[in-house]
Structures are given as C-alpha cells and as structure tokens.
Amino acid sequence: MVQIPTTPAPPTPPAPRPVPTSADVARLAGVSRATVSYVLNNTSAVRISEPTRQRVHDAARELGYVPHAAARSLRAGHSRMVLMPAPAVAAGPLYSQFVHDLQQALSQIGYTVVQYGASGMHGQEAVRSWAELRPVAVLVPGNGISAEGVAVLKRSGAKAVVVLAAEHVPGAHTLILDHADVGRLAARHLHERGRRRIGVVVPVERGMDMFSGPRLAGVREELAGTGAEVVALPMAHTEESAAELAARWPELGLDAVFGYNDEYALPLARALQDRGVDIPGDVAVVGADDLLIARLARPRLTSVAIRLPAGPALADLVDRAVHRPGTEAEHPGAIQVALVVRESS
Amino acid sequence: MVQIPTTPAPPTPPAPRPVPTSADVARLAGVSRATVSYVLNNTSAVRISEPTRQRVHDAARELGYVPHAAARSLRAGHSRMVLMPAPAVAAGPLYSQFVHDLQQALSQIGYTVVQYGASGMHGQEAVRSWAELRPVAVLVPGNGISAEGVAVLKRSGAKAVVVLAAEHVPGAHTLILDHADVGRLAARHLHERGRRRIGVVVPVERGMDMFSGPRLAGVREELAGTGAEVVALPMAHTEESAAELAARWPELGLDAVFGYNDEYALPLARALQDRGVDIPGDVAVVGADDLLIARLARPRLTSVAIRLPAGPALADLVDRAVHRPGTEAEHPGAIQVALVVRESS
C-alpha cells in the first residue's frame, strides 16, 4: 500500500504570492498591456521593435508570468484544443492505443488533446462543462451526445464535433459504430459453426452496459427465429468471477460463448479449460477487440476486430472539419467490424 | 479501414454565428454584466432578487450562452481542475485503471480531471503549457518535472503539485517510485532461483526508455559482482518480435528473462513454449504490473506488483494539498513494489 503521509497540524502557511498578471509585466517593462499581449502572443500583424520585445520577455521571465491559455485564445480568436470526454469505464488496450495514436497525430498538426473527466455529470450538464473550455473541436467516442448537445458546443465556439455513435447525430461528423454489429457477427459465426446454446458475457462493472447492452441485443437479434438459445452471463473482470461462471457450466449446458470482448473471454476460457472443458470441442469461444492476448491463448481466440480510425486519418478529418465549419460530411463514415476466425471456435 | 469521407468542394459556408457573450445576456435581460456574472456563477455573497435571477437565466438560455470556464474561475478566484499530463506511451492496463479510479474519486469531491496531451512539447515548455490552463493541482505521473517546473506551476496559481518520481522534487508532494527497484526485485529473485544468464527485455517503442532504462539498470546493479550475466533484449510488443527473439534463444543461451512487464513477458513466454522451451525448467520468466493475464498464463507468470495509490487515497492527498498550499509532506510517500511469485520462475 502507499504510505501516503498524513501531515501533522500545519504551521500557518506564508501568505500566497499573487499570480503575476499582464499588467504587472507591462509595468515592469514600461509598456502598455496591449504591447505585452502582442509580444507574448506573437501577433505578427503588429510591428514591435526588437528592444521592446526583449524588455517584455525579460519582464515576463523575471515575474514568472505565463499567459492565460483561454485569454490568449480569446484574443487570438481561436483555440487549438480538441476535447474528448474521458470514457465512463477504464480504457482497455484497444481504446488506449486509439487515443494515444490520435493524440500524437493531432499534436503533430498543432492541436492539444484534452481528455476531460468529470464523471459526476451527464447529458446536457456534461456538454455544457465541455463547452466552458471553449475547445475548437470535440470528439465524442461513445453514444454520449444529442443534436442539442452538438448545438451547444457549436454556439460556444466549437468548429467541429466528431462523434462515434450508432446513428448519425445531426450537426456532427458521425462515424458509425453500432456495438450491436459486434454481437451480430459473433452470433452469426457461432450459428454457422453449428452452435445452438450460446452464452453471452455481460460485464457487471459500472458503465459497461452502454456497450454490452447493444452487443447482447445484437446476438439475440441475429439468432431470433433460428431455434438457438441465448443466455446472458453476468461476469466480473476477475479470475474468481470467471471460475464461478465456469463452475456452473454443467448446469448451463451451453456449447458456445460470446465473451463480450477478449479481456473477458480469456479468463472465462481459462477457467473452463481448468475444469476440463475442451475448447472448441465442447465450447466454442469468441471475443472482440482482437488484442495481442487473443493470439497468445491456446487455442488462439476467434475475435471481432473493431477497426477504429487510425490516428493520422482521424486527425486530418478533425482538421478539415475545423477549417470548414458548418459543412458536415454528406454521408457518415462507418467503422468496420470484422471477424478474425481462429482455433477457439 | 474507416471510410472517412472526403468532402467534395464545399459550398460557401454560412457566416458563422457569433459566440454569445455575457454582454449580450446583460442586454437581453436588462441588467448589468456584473449581475449576469453574479447570477450565473452563483456568487452567494451578493443578494439578487428572484425575478432578476430568472430574467438572467432565461436570457442566457435563449442566447445559448455558456460561461467561459477560465473567466469564471478567475472571477471566483479558484479552479477545480486537476491536470495530468498524458503519458508519452499508450497507457497499459495498470495505468488505465489507476487514472480511471483517480478520476472517479476526484470527481466525487468536485474536481475535474484533465489529461493533457501535447506531445510535441517537453521540459519547461510543456510545464508552461500546463500552467496556461490554470489548474488548481497538477499530478505528474512520471519523472517529468523539476523544481523549477513546480515553481512555474505554483506561480501560475496551482496550489498543489503531486509527483510520482524516483526522487523527491522540491516544492511538490512526491510519491517515490523508482523503476530500478522493479528490475532489482526481479533480478534478486532470479538469482535466488539459481539463474546466472539473465535476459532483460527492452521495449523498442518510443517513450518506453524512461521506464525500461531504469529497470535494466536495476537488474545490472543487483547482479553486479555476482558472476551472473545480463543481456539486453530489444523487443517490440508484437507476436512477430517475440518469435524472432525466441528463435535466437539457442545462441543466446539464457536461463532466465525479466520481460520488462507482463505485456511483453507473455508473448515472449508463448513464443519460447511454441519452440519447445520449458518454462520454468529451461527458462524462468518474470514480468511486472501483476495483470490479470499473468494469472491466466500456464505456467502462471511471476510478476512484480506495483502498488499505485488507490483513487480515493490519492484524491484525498490532492484535496488536502490544495487546501494547505505551501506545506509539503515532510517525508515523501513511497509506492510499494512487491514480487508475486508464481510457477513461471
């Protein structure tokens, strides 16, 4: 455990040093506040002599003055911030890599990516809190924004709103990702492999239902009217929960399982094998996300790959949308999902 | 691949609608800008009649006015933003869970967590960019800040700077995490198990050297003078790279490997087993982070657990530091690392 020190009763802290302002810099440099602003924000439209520039920089350094980001962007008339609401659940390997690649690509073209997490807020309240930061673009990775929300963001200055969602959101560039398709693909494959009693893992952790609900629904929809049975299997992302579920397998009598994703499918597959269940002989297993760990398992795990946009491509989309505000793509883009068949099914 | 649509030559976009300001709200409501500010920022010190409040809220809603976050916090004299620089590498499962738990805990006590990624900047330039957002607290998860950097943040208004680093940073609350200790623990264990030719995986991906360098150094330090040999093994986080490394094993002649962490150790262990190498009989394997996947492997993976602070405990530390600016913990806290011994070694 972390030994987080509890500080003893503190002495009276020294009076806090006031934060230097541009007025302080102006006073010290013997120039106007406007001049300070032009110099520190590199406003090329205004000619300032080199000695004056130097005095301003020296004064700023001496006082430890850092321009206020929002004030600077207000004056310059633009922001370079791309805001992404932080997901409601801990990011898995697929999403972590996606965000990292996007962040790198946007940084290279001069944007700053801010992942914003204030999980106490929802709906329009959350959207308003994003708007307060005055981002130039907002990228919403889940089904978390309505047309009204997009309007609030644009009215507060956002030039582009890019959304990954199951359906087109008016006013936004939408990339269609319907999690039900993940379930449909898995179910279709298992049915083709002759499976008729199919379990579907439903993660119990908070916030997961936004993804697991549609996936389960996709499985049910795909198998409706086929005579196959679908059984929901609540499971936590732990060895213990997987073992409990595996212990019930004889009574469940299932011949296949869609494990929600690789991170849940693998512990369950392991627990089943520990109990002597043969995969795929007795039980076919399918995951999703096509993580590296799916390829390390024996048998290798069949998995639904979700091809999130590559960093540079999505960064370019954001940049184009920022420079042409008001024009949405005529047709939403679509994120491909594809089954990668391996030995576990 | 994503079908990211390329928009055809756009029609002239409509003139952008100007962003409403508090002056617009004041005009519409028939009140002063100060009154607008008092009402929308809920400044309880000033009494405003209920009808006036209602007029202001109605005008704001009609115009779609959202207060500017930074301006609001400037007036109120405080911010609720906790800034964390985004890591230079894609977050692994350990770090993702840590950030998520911390974000949840800080949200519950009224803070907003912002992960800030502008990877083009380094050192003092990066610190200044964080300072521009005027966060009330900054949490630096790696060895990325100096005493000067802490001073810049505090001069710009940050009341608390919390750092996870190998050594105490003056002016900051430091939680000591020395990655060399991860290497030392792994090496000590392997030596105790009689291993004398020890490979150490060195991830090739950009940004990883900040962690892998110290870990390798810790292994070398622990085994200096013992007669054991240490061999650095560059490896990418892919099945292919693990297979290439495993193919060289006969010539390498190693009897143990510290796989940097579980995510690299597991593909390597799998590649070795695919080539008929017995683990631990021929080669002992140790990872780090103690992820769930370490327990799923057969044999289960010995791993160095890194006990990052729990969300609520760290959130409380940040909150206490914010309310008592200027008082640093007398002794830095320490993050425990501990070896979890399993069958792979």
Side-chain angles (χ1 to χ4, degrees), chain A residues 213-249:
Chain A
R215 290 185 187 189
L216 173 61
V219 172
R220 291 196 187 284
E221 202 187 289
E222 185 68 22
L223 300 175
T226 64
E229 190 160 342
V230 177
V231 179
L233 305 172
M235 182 185 140
H237 190 226
T238 66
E239 222 183 346
E240 295 68 31
S241 183
E244 277 174 29
L245 185 47
R248 294 173 41 215
W249 219 258

Coordinates of all heavy atoms in Angstrom, one line a residue, chain A residues 213-249:
Chain A
G213 N -25.0 -3.9 -23.5 CA -26.4 -4.0 -23.9 C -26.6 -4.2 -25.4 O -27.2 -5.2 -25.8
P214 N -26.1 -3.3 -26.2 CA -26.2 -3.5 -27.6 C -25.6 -4.8 -28.2 O -26.1 -5.4 -29.1 CB -25.5 -2.3 -28.2 CG -25.5 -1.2 -27.1 CD -25.5 -2.0 -25.9
R215 N -24.5 -5.2 -27.6 CA -23.8 -6.4 -28.1 C -24.7 -7.6 -27.8 O -24.9 -8.5 -28.7 CB -22.5 -6.7 -27.4 CG -21.4 -5.6 -27.9 CD -20.0 -5.9 -27.4 NE -19.2 -4.7 -27.8 CZ -17.9 -4.7 -27.7 NH1 -17.2 -5.7 -27.2 NH2 -17.2 -3.6 -28.1
L216 N -25.3 -7.7 -26.6 CA -26.3 -8.8 -26.3 C -27.5 -8.7 -27.2 O -27.9 -9.7 -27.7 CB -26.7 -8.7 -24.8 CG -27.8 -9.7 -24.4 CD1 -27.3 -11.1 -24.5 CD2 -28.1 -9.4 -22.9
A217 N -28.0 -7.5 -27.4 CA -29.1 -7.3 -28.3 C -28.8 -7.8 -29.7 O -29.7 -8.4 -30.4 CB -29.6 -5.9 -28.3
G218 N -27.6 -7.5 -30.2 CA -27.2 -7.9 -31.5 C -27.2 -9.5 -31.6 O -27.6 -10.0 -32.7
V219 N -26.7 -10.1 -30.6 CA -26.7 -11.6 -30.6 C -28.2 -12.1 -30.7 O -28.5 -13.0 -31.5 CB -26.0 -12.2 -29.4 CG1 -26.2 -13.7 -29.3 CG2 -24.6 -11.8 -29.4
R220 N -29.0 -11.6 -29.8 CA -30.4 -12.0 -29.8 C -31.1 -11.8 -31.1 O -31.9 -12.7 -31.6 CB -31.2 -11.3 -28.7 CG -30.8 -11.7 -27.3 CD -31.9 -11.2 -26.3 NE -31.5 -11.4 -24.9 CZ -31.5 -12.6 -24.2 NH1 -31.8 -13.7 -24.9 NH2 -31.1 -12.6 -22.9
E221 N -30.9 -10.6 -31.7 CA -31.5 -10.3 -33.0 C -31.0 -11.2 -34.1 O -31.8 -11.7 -34.9 CB -31.0 -8.9 -33.3 CG -31.9 -8.1 -34.2 CD -31.3 -6.8 -34.6 OE1 -31.2 -5.9 -33.7 OE2 -30.8 -6.7 -35.8
E222 N -29.8 -11.5 -34.1 CA -29.2 -12.4 -35.1 C -29.8 -13.8 -35.1 O -30.0 -14.5 -36.1 CB -27.7 -12.4 -35.0 CG -27.0 -13.2 -36.1 CD -27.0 -12.5 -37.5 OE1 -27.3 -11.3 -37.5 OE2 -26.9 -13.2 -38.5
L223 N -30.0 -14.2 -33.8 CA -30.5 -15.6 -33.7 C -32.0 -15.8 -33.5 O -32.4 -16.9 -33.3 CB -29.7 -16.2 -32.5 CG -28.2 -16.3 -32.6 CD1 -27.5 -16.8 -31.3 CD2 -27.8 -17.1 -33.8
A224 N -32.7 -14.7 -33.6 CA -34.2 -14.8 -33.4 C -34.7 -15.7 -34.5 O -34.4 -15.6 -35.7 CB -34.8 -13.4 -33.5
G225 N -35.6 -16.6 -34.1 CA -36.3 -17.4 -35.0 C -35.4 -18.6 -35.6 O -35.9 -19.4 -36.4
T226 N -34.2 -18.8 -35.1 CA -33.4 -19.9 -35.5 C -33.5 -21.1 -34.7 O -33.0 -22.2 -35.0 CB -31.9 -19.5 -35.5 OG1 -31.5 -19.3 -34.1 CG2 -31.6 -18.2 -36.3
G227 N -34.1 -20.9 -33.5 CA -34.2 -22.1 -32.6 C -33.0 -22.1 -31.6 O -33.0 -22.9 -30.7
A228 N -32.0 -21.3 -31.9 CA -30.9 -21.2 -30.9 C -31.3 -20.5 -29.7 O -32.1 -19.6 -29.7 CB -29.7 -20.5 -31.6
E229 N -30.7 -20.9 -28.6 CA -31.0 -20.3 -27.3 C -29.9 -19.3 -26.9 O -28.7 -19.6 -27.1 CB -31.1 -21.4 -26.2 CG -31.7 -20.9 -24.9 CD -32.2 -22.0 -24.1 OE1 -32.5 -23.1 -24.6 OE2 -32.4 -21.8 -22.9
V230 N -30.2 -18.2 -26.3 CA -29.2 -17.2 -25.9 C -29.4 -17.0 -24.4 O -30.5 -16.7 -23.9 CB -29.4 -15.9 -26.7 CG1 -28.4 -14.8 -26.2 CG2 -29.3 -16.0 -28.2
V231 N -28.3 -17.1 -23.7 CA -28.3 -16.9 -22.2 C -27.3 -15.8 -21.8 O -26.1 -15.9 -22.1 CB -27.9 -18.3 -21.5 CG1 -27.9 -18.1 -20.0 CG2 -28.8 -19.4 -22.0
A232 N -27.8 -14.8 -21.1 CA -27.0 -13.8 -20.6 C -26.2 -14.3 -19.4 O -26.7 -14.9 -18.5 CB -27.8 -12.5 -20.2
L233 N -24.9 -14.0 -19.3 CA -24.0 -14.5 -18.3 C -23.3 -13.3 -17.6 O -22.2 -12.9 -18.1 CB -22.9 -15.4 -18.9 CG -23.4 -16.6 -19.7 CD1 -22.3 -17.3 -20.4 CD2 -24.2 -17.6 -18.8
P234 N -23.8 -12.7 -16.5 CA -23.1 -11.7 -15.8 C -21.8 -12.2 -15.3 O -21.7 -13.3 -14.8 CB -24.0 -11.3 -14.7 CG -25.4 -11.8 -15.1 CD -25.1 -13.0 -15.9
M235 N -20.7 -11.3 -15.5 CA -19.4 -11.7 -15.1 C -18.5 -10.5 -14.8 O -18.7 -9.5 -15.5 CB -18.7 -12.5 -16.2 CG -17.3 -13.1 -15.9 SD -16.5 -13.9 -17.3 CE -14.8 -13.3 -17.1
A236 N -17.7 -10.6 -13.8 CA -16.8 -9.5 -13.5 C -15.4 -9.8 -14.1 O -15.2 -11.0 -14.4 CB -16.6 -9.3 -12.0
H237 N -14.6 -8.8 -14.3 CA -13.3 -9.0 -14.9 C -12.3 -9.5 -13.9 O -11.3 -8.9 -13.6 CB -12.8 -7.7 -15.6 CG -11.6 -7.8 -16.4 ND1 -10.5 -7.0 -16.4 CD2 -11.3 -8.8 -17.4 CE1 -9.6 -7.4 -17.2 NE2 -10.1 -8.5 -17.9
T238 N -12.6 -10.7 -13.3 CA -11.7 -11.3 -12.3 C -11.6 -12.8 -12.6 O -12.5 -13.4 -13.2 CB -12.2 -11.0 -10.9 OG1 -13.4 -11.8 -10.7 CG2 -12.4 -9.6 -10.6
E239 N -10.5 -13.3 -12.1 CA -10.3 -14.8 -12.2 C -11.4 -15.5 -11.4 O -12.0 -16.5 -11.9 CB -9.0 -15.1 -11.5 CG -8.2 -16.2 -12.3 CD -6.9 -16.5 -11.5 OE1 -6.5 -15.8 -10.6 OE2 -6.3 -17.6 -11.9
E240 N -11.8 -14.9 -10.3 CA -12.8 -15.5 -9.4 C -14.2 -15.6 -10.1 O -14.8 -16.6 -10.0 CB -12.9 -14.8 -8.1 CG -11.6 -14.8 -7.2 CD -10.5 -14.0 -7.8 OE1 -10.7 -13.0 -8.6 OE2 -9.3 -14.4 -7.6
S241 N -14.6 -14.5 -10.7 CA -15.9 -14.5 -11.3 C -15.9 -15.5 -12.5 O -16.9 -16.2 -12.7 CB -16.2 -13.1 -11.8 OG -17.4 -13.0 -12.4
A242 N -14.8 -15.6 -13.2 CA -14.7 -16.5 -14.3 C -14.8 -17.9 -13.8 O -15.5 -18.8 -14.4 CB -13.4 -16.3 -15.1
A243 N -14.2 -18.2 -12.7 CA -14.2 -19.6 -12.1 C -15.6 -19.9 -11.6 O -16.1 -21.0 -11.8 CB -13.2 -19.6 -10.9
E244 N -16.3 -18.9 -11.0 CA -17.7 -19.2 -10.6 C -18.6 -19.5 -11.8 O -19.4 -20.4 -11.7 CB -18.2 -17.9 -9.9 CG -17.9 -17.8 -8.5 CD -18.4 -16.4 -7.9 OE1 -19.4 -15.9 -8.4 OE2 -17.7 -15.9 -7.0
L245 N -18.4 -18.8 -12.8 CA -19.2 -19.0 -14.0 C -18.9 -20.4 -14.6 O -19.8 -21.1 -15.0 CB -19.0 -17.9 -15.0 CG -19.8 -17.8 -16.3 CD1 -21.3 -18.0 -16.0 CD2 -19.5 -16.5 -17.0
A246 N -17.6 -20.7 -14.7 CA -17.2 -22.0 -15.3 C -17.8 -23.1 -14.4 O -18.1 -24.2 -15.0 CB -15.7 -22.1 -15.3
A247 N -17.8 -22.9 -13.1 CA -18.4 -24.0 -12.2 C -19.8 -24.3 -12.5 O -20.3 -25.4 -12.3 CB -18.2 -23.6 -10.8
R248 N -20.5 -23.3 -13.1 CA -22.0 -23.5 -13.3 C -22.2 -24.2 -14.7 O -23.3 -24.4 -15.1 CB -22.7 -22.2 -13.3 CG -22.8 -21.6 -11.9 CD -23.4 -20.2 -11.9 NE -24.5 -20.1 -12.8 CZ -24.8 -19.0 -13.5 NH1 -24.1 -18.0 -13.5 NH2 -25.9 -19.0 -14.3
W249 N -21.1 -24.4 -15.5 CA -21.3 -24.8 -16.9 C -22.1 -26.1 -17.1 O -22.9 -26.1 -18.0 CB -19.9 -24.9 -17.6 CG -20.0 -24.3 -19.0 CD1 -20.0 -25.0 -20.1 CD2 -20.0 -23.0 -19.3 NE1 -20.1 -24.2 -21.2 CE2 -20.1 -22.9 -20.8 CE3 -20.0 -21.7 -18.6 CZ2 -20.1 -21.7 -21.5 CZ3 -20.0 -20.6 -19.4 CH2 -20.1 -20.5 -20.8

